[in-house]
Amino acid sequence: MENDPSINGNNATANGTGFSRRELLKGLTSAMVATTLLGFPFLSQAEKETATQSPVIFGQFYLVSQAITEHKNISEGSSAQIFNAFHRSQPDFAAQVSKLHALVRPGQSAKALQEAAKQNSLGELVTSIVTAWYTGTVGHGTDSILISYKDALMYRPVSDGLIVPTYCGNGPLYFTAAPPDAAMPESMNADRFTNTSESADVSKA
């Protein structure tokens, strides 16, 4: 098995592509991640590059996030932002994510994953990932990085009845949207403003 060229990447010439199987898979995965993130224009170039340059780890981080928050419909865009913030602030983040991903099991509860993580000295990583998703921030104090306020998971339980707390009366960034159409009074009805010259010509005829 150790001499299998498909594993050690020495089949670049044999497959006629000039690339090893590992390189091809990494390239395809990077392309898939890049295509997925195109739908999120708010992402910075750095955030996109961090995810596409480490596509396997990014995919593992996304799956871990789903498992530990028990939310399947989390945003890939927000995931890229959180991933970038962790990746740049913690040198061993990629290795830790891989270890945590190895603990994920089908149908596993978040509590069970958290216990398994603690037993493998990954409890702090789980806490930091959950905190990032629920508060929308990565880090603490003056070193914290704001990822998202409106889309923080802590607001989901009451999203059907309450707007996200903000000084803006109709929700975050409400003032950036076009104002709603104002109802016109009857005296301003368009039918009242016909061409007066045409009316006069008709009356003379």
Side-chain angles (χ1 to χ4, degrees):
M1 290 294 291
E2 292 180 354
N3 295 322
D4 186 345
S6 66
I7 294 177
N8 59 33
N10 292 328
N11 64 335
T13 303
N15 63 26
T17 64
F19 298 96
S20 67
R21 180 184 179 188
R22 179 177 298 177
E23 290 172 332
L24 287 173
L25 289 175
K26 182 178 180 181
L28 288 172
T29 308
S30 299
M32 290 173 65
V33 170
T35 301
T36 299
L37 298 182
L38 283 177
F40 300 91
F42 58 82
L43 292 177
S44 68
Q45 188 62 32
E47 291 165 343
K48 292 179 181 178
E49 288 180 354
T50 302
T52 54
Q53 289 174 2
S54 306
V56 175
I57 303 300
F58 174 67
Q60 291 178 345
F61 174 74
Y62 186 76
L63 293 175
V64 164
S65 296
Q66 288 181 316
I68 202 61
T69 63
E70 294 188 343
H71 284 285
K72 298 299 182 184
N73 59 335
I74 55 176
S75 166
E76 293 91 341
S78 295
S79 183
Q81 290 181 301
I82 296 174
F83 180 76
N84 178 69
F86 276 125
H87 196 276
R88 292 180 177 277
S89 61
Q90 299 182 16
D92 60 342
F93 180 67
Q96 286 193 316
V97 168
S98 290
K99 293 178 182 178
L100 183 56
H101 177 262
L103 302 176
V104 178
R105 299 289 182 269
Q108 183 182 41
S109 67
K111 184 176 181 180
L113 177 56
Q114 186 175 28
E115 289 299 322
K118 288 180 179 179
Q119 294 173 9
N120 288 271
S121 302
L122 296 171
E124 290 186 7
L125 176 63
V126 167
T127 299
S128 62
I129 291 175
V130 171
T131 300
W133 278 105
Y134 273 86
T135 66
T137 59
V138 173
H140 305 281
T142 57
D143 295 327
S144 63
I145 301 172
L146 176 64
I147 302 299
S148 175
Y149 177 70
K150 180 177 71 69
D151 296 322
L153 292 184
M154 64 180 175
Y155 297 122
R156 282 199 182 183
V158 294
S159 62
D160 59 337
L162 296 174
I163 63 171
V164 176
T166 171
Y167 286 107
C168 190
N170 287 285
L173 301 180
Y174 170 76
F175 58 89
T176 63
D181 294 334
M184 297 293 288
E186 183 63 28
S187 60
M188 298 293 290
N189 193 302
D191 293 340
R192 296 171 56 88
F193 295 93
T194 57
N195 192 313
T196 55
S197 60
E198 292 181 0
S199 301
D201 291 341
V202 172
S203 62
K204 290 179 179 179

Tab-separated table of all heavy atoms in Angstrom, residues 7 20 29 40 50 53 68 129 177-178 192:
chain	number	residue	atom	x	y	z
A	7	ILE	N	-1.822	7.077	-3.755
A	7	ILE	CA	-1.807	7.580	-2.386
A	7	ILE	C	-0.661	8.565	-2.182
A	7	ILE	O	-0.841	9.648	-1.626
A	7	ILE	CB	-1.679	6.411	-1.388
A	7	ILE	CG1	-2.945	5.545	-1.459
A	7	ILE	CG2	-1.468	6.924	0.024
A	7	ILE	CD1	-2.881	4.320	-0.568
A	20	SER	N	-0.867	15.193	-9.688
A	20	SER	CA	-1.165	14.002	-8.910
A	20	SER	C	-2.658	13.966	-8.592
A	20	SER	O	-3.365	14.966	-8.727
A	20	SER	CB	-0.368	14.010	-7.598
A	20	SER	OG	-0.831	15.058	-6.751
A	29	THR	N	-11.991	20.581	-5.349
A	29	THR	CA	-12.654	21.017	-4.117
A	29	THR	C	-12.558	22.523	-3.957
A	29	THR	O	-13.522	23.182	-3.557
A	29	THR	CB	-12.025	20.329	-2.894
A	29	THR	OG1	-12.005	18.919	-3.099
A	29	THR	CG2	-12.823	20.632	-1.640
A	40	PHE	N	-22.076	35.108	-2.093
A	40	PHE	CA	-22.005	35.954	-0.895
A	40	PHE	C	-21.101	37.149	-1.186
A	40	PHE	O	-19.910	37.146	-0.853
A	40	PHE	CB	-21.469	35.149	0.291
A	40	PHE	CG	-22.322	33.968	0.640
A	40	PHE	CD1	-22.069	32.724	0.077
A	40	PHE	CD2	-23.395	34.099	1.506
A	40	PHE	CE1	-22.857	31.623	0.386
A	40	PHE	CE2	-24.187	33.005	1.826
A	40	PHE	CZ	-23.930	31.776	1.266
A	50	THR	N	-8.935	32.348	1.981
A	50	THR	CA	-8.637	31.443	3.095
A	50	THR	C	-9.424	30.151	2.968
A	50	THR	O	-8.896	29.063	3.213
A	50	THR	CB	-8.971	32.112	4.440
A	50	THR	OG1	-8.223	33.325	4.568
A	50	THR	CG2	-8.622	31.200	5.611
A	53	GLN	N	-8.193	28.161	-0.330
A	53	GLN	CA	-6.844	27.621	-0.219
A	53	GLN	C	-6.770	26.440	0.740
A	53	GLN	O	-5.821	25.653	0.695
A	53	GLN	CB	-5.872	28.720	0.233
A	53	GLN	CG	-5.602	29.763	-0.839
A	53	GLN	CD	-4.756	30.922	-0.330
A	53	GLN	OE1	-4.332	30.929	0.825
A	53	GLN	NE2	-4.509	31.901	-1.190
A	68	ILE	N	-22.170	20.883	15.961
A	68	ILE	CA	-22.062	21.426	17.312
A	68	ILE	C	-23.156	22.445	17.621
A	68	ILE	O	-23.487	22.696	18.775
A	68	ILE	CB	-20.655	22.046	17.539
A	68	ILE	CG1	-20.347	22.111	19.033
A	68	ILE	CG2	-20.553	23.406	16.891
A	68	ILE	CD1	-20.316	20.770	19.725
A	129	ILE	N	-16.054	27.906	18.930
A	129	ILE	CA	-16.835	27.811	17.687
A	129	ILE	C	-18.309	28.101	17.965
A	129	ILE	O	-18.959	28.860	17.230
A	129	ILE	CB	-16.674	26.418	17.043
A	129	ILE	CG1	-15.252	26.236	16.518
A	129	ILE	CG2	-17.669	26.241	15.893
A	129	ILE	CD1	-14.962	24.857	15.969
A	177	ALA	N	-32.309	50.483	3.078
A	177	ALA	CA	-33.246	50.027	2.046
A	177	ALA	C	-34.046	51.209	1.511
A	177	ALA	O	-34.163	52.261	2.159
A	177	ALA	CB	-34.184	48.968	2.609
A	178	ALA	N	-34.599	51.047	0.315
A	178	ALA	CA	-35.437	52.104	-0.254
A	178	ALA	C	-36.674	52.295	0.613
A	178	ALA	O	-37.250	51.315	1.097
A	178	ALA	CB	-35.854	51.720	-1.672
A	192	ARG	N	-57.022	63.232	-11.840
A	192	ARG	CA	-57.421	64.639	-11.758
A	192	ARG	C	-56.500	65.532	-12.573
A	192	ARG	O	-56.814	66.683	-12.829
A	192	ARG	CB	-57.411	65.104	-10.293
A	192	ARG	CG	-58.433	64.390	-9.418
A	192	ARG	CD	-58.217	64.750	-7.942
A	192	ARG	NE	-58.263	66.186	-7.734
A	192	ARG	CZ	-59.390	66.875	-7.494
A	192	ARG	NH1	-60.561	66.241	-7.467
A	192	ARG	NH2	-59.362	68.172	-7.296
